[in-house]
Amino acid sequence: MAARGLLSGMGCLFEMPAALGLVSRPYSTSQTFAEVLRLPKTQLTKLVFPLQELQRHLLPESRPVLHLKTFDPSLEDIARAESFFTATTRNRIEYLSSAEHLDHAPDLLRPEGHTKKMNFFKVGKHFTLVDMPGYGYRAPEDFVNMVETYLKERKNLMRTFLLVDSVVGIQKADNIAIEMCEEFALPYVMVLTKIDKSSKGHLLKQVLQIQKFVATKTQGCFPQLFPVSAVTYSGIHLLRCFIANITGNLKTNG
């Protein structure tokens, strides 16, 4: 089935379902974004714009390194983006299929023998999110061949999201995915997970280190990082808005 946009997430797989709203929130699961907008300003900023929250702890001359204005949607933009991720009778968000072999992926023929799954989630008629196999110490031996082929040949791939554990930062295993994206000239984004597990000081240190890595060691990585938490839901609304924007479904004012 053709999709207007295909995105790929490599690493811990729970984060992409989080982007679909399948995790617990720090507020009632029945709350709408309109209700989030009624939160006190400090609480709202922490929930929706975690980088802005961290900016308060930086000296003024250091603040530009966070690239807060690279993707800078308004609250109205983010509210509009929520409609794409809200399941209704006209906007179904559903599990589409799993590819146990690469030749099971829609419209893609590949050699047999790869058994790690890729999970496809259809978001209305707008785009498809793909959870790709994790890398690192749990990755299968054929991870590189499997994912490399997919990334090279998937013509409607819009953006690749690399999930980096913000507690430990970029590890040697993360460079497998980074090197793939750089080699194939694929546009990609770093999503920093588990931001609820660190103190503000530790998280800020990790963010600055990863930001420096992006600025000096990469060419295809989007300059702005996206810190998120699947526990507190911090950063998820902004990430959703970014996805809606890059897939051509939402034109933001910022």
Side-chain angles (χ1 to χ4, degrees), residues 35 57 59-60 72 78 120 125 129 133 143 171 174 184 188 246:
E35 292 173 295
H57 303 275
L59 295 174
D72 187 28
I78 297 174
F120 296 76
K125 297 180 180 179
L129 292 173
F143 168 83
Q171 302 295 293
D174 296 319
F184 303 149
Y188 63 105
I246 63 174

Side-chain angles (χ1 to χ4, degrees), residues 48 83 111 143 154 193 197 225 231:
V48 182
S83 65
F143 168 83
R154 195 69 184 194
T193 66
K197 294 185 178 295
L225 306 177
V231 175

Side-chain angles (χ1 to χ4, degrees), residues 66-139:
L66 295 183
H67 297 280
L68 295 176
K69 299 298 181 181
T70 306
F71 180 68
D72 187 28
S74 66
L75 289 172
E76 290 76 13
D77 293 329
I78 297 174
R80 287 190 294 130
E82 287 295 298
S83 65
F84 298 109
F85 295 88
T86 302
T88 66
T89 55
R90 294 186 177 183
N91 187 58
R92 297 181 63 184
I93 299 176
E94 56 188 340
Y95 167 78
L96 183 61
S97 66
S98 286
E100 294 185 357
H101 304 275
L102 278 188
D103 57 0
H104 294 172
D107 303 320
L108 180 62
L109 296 178
R110 283 292 90 212
E112 296 183 0
H114 303 289
T115 58
K116 194 72 172 179
K117 290 185 178 181
M118 292 185 292
N119 295 310
F120 296 76
F121 296 88
K122 184 181 178 184
V123 182
K125 297 180 180 179
H126 310 295
F127 49 84
T128 299
L129 292 173
V130 183
D131 274 342
M132 297 194 73
Y135 54 91
Y137 72 96
R138 292 182 179 178

Side-chain angles (χ1 to χ4, degrees), residues 94-222:
E94 56 188 340
Y95 167 78
L96 183 61
S97 66
S98 286
E100 294 185 357
H101 304 275
L102 278 188
D103 57 0
H104 294 172
D107 303 320
L108 180 62
L109 296 178
R110 283 292 90 212
E112 296 183 0
H114 303 289
T115 58
K116 194 72 172 179
K117 290 185 178 181
M118 292 185 292
N119 295 310
F120 296 76
F121 296 88
K122 184 181 178 184
V123 182
K125 297 180 180 179
H126 310 295
F127 49 84
T128 299
L129 292 173
V130 183
D131 274 342
M132 297 194 73
Y135 54 91
Y137 72 96
R138 292 182 179 178
E141 293 182 359
D142 58 5
F143 168 83
V144 174
N145 291 333
M146 179 183 184
V147 175
E148 179 178 312
T149 301
Y150 188 87
L151 293 179
K152 286 175 67 176
E153 300 193 12
R154 195 69 184 194
K155 295 182 180 180
N156 61 340
L157 182 69
M158 297 295 294
R159 195 67 55 103
T160 299
F161 291 83
L162 306 184
L163 310 183
V164 177
D165 188 327
S166 66
V167 177
V168 297
I170 296 175
Q171 302 295 293
K172 289 182 179 180
D174 296 319
N175 285 306
I176 297 173
I178 293 171
E179 289 170 4
M180 281 187 189
C181 291
E182 291 291 330
E183 181 181 351
F184 303 149
L186 296 173
Y188 63 105
V189 181
M190 287 197 188
V191 178
L192 309 186
T193 66
K194 304 178 184 178
I195 64 172
D196 57 285
K197 294 185 178 295
S198 297
S199 66
K200 282 290 188 296
H202 179 77
L203 179 59
L204 181 58
K205 179 181 178 181
Q206 291 289 2
V207 166
L208 290 176
Q209 289 178 344
I210 295 171
Q211 189 71 76
K212 182 178 180 180
F213 176 91
V214 170
T216 60
K217 304 293 185 181
T218 72
Q219 294 183 331
C221 187
F222 191 71

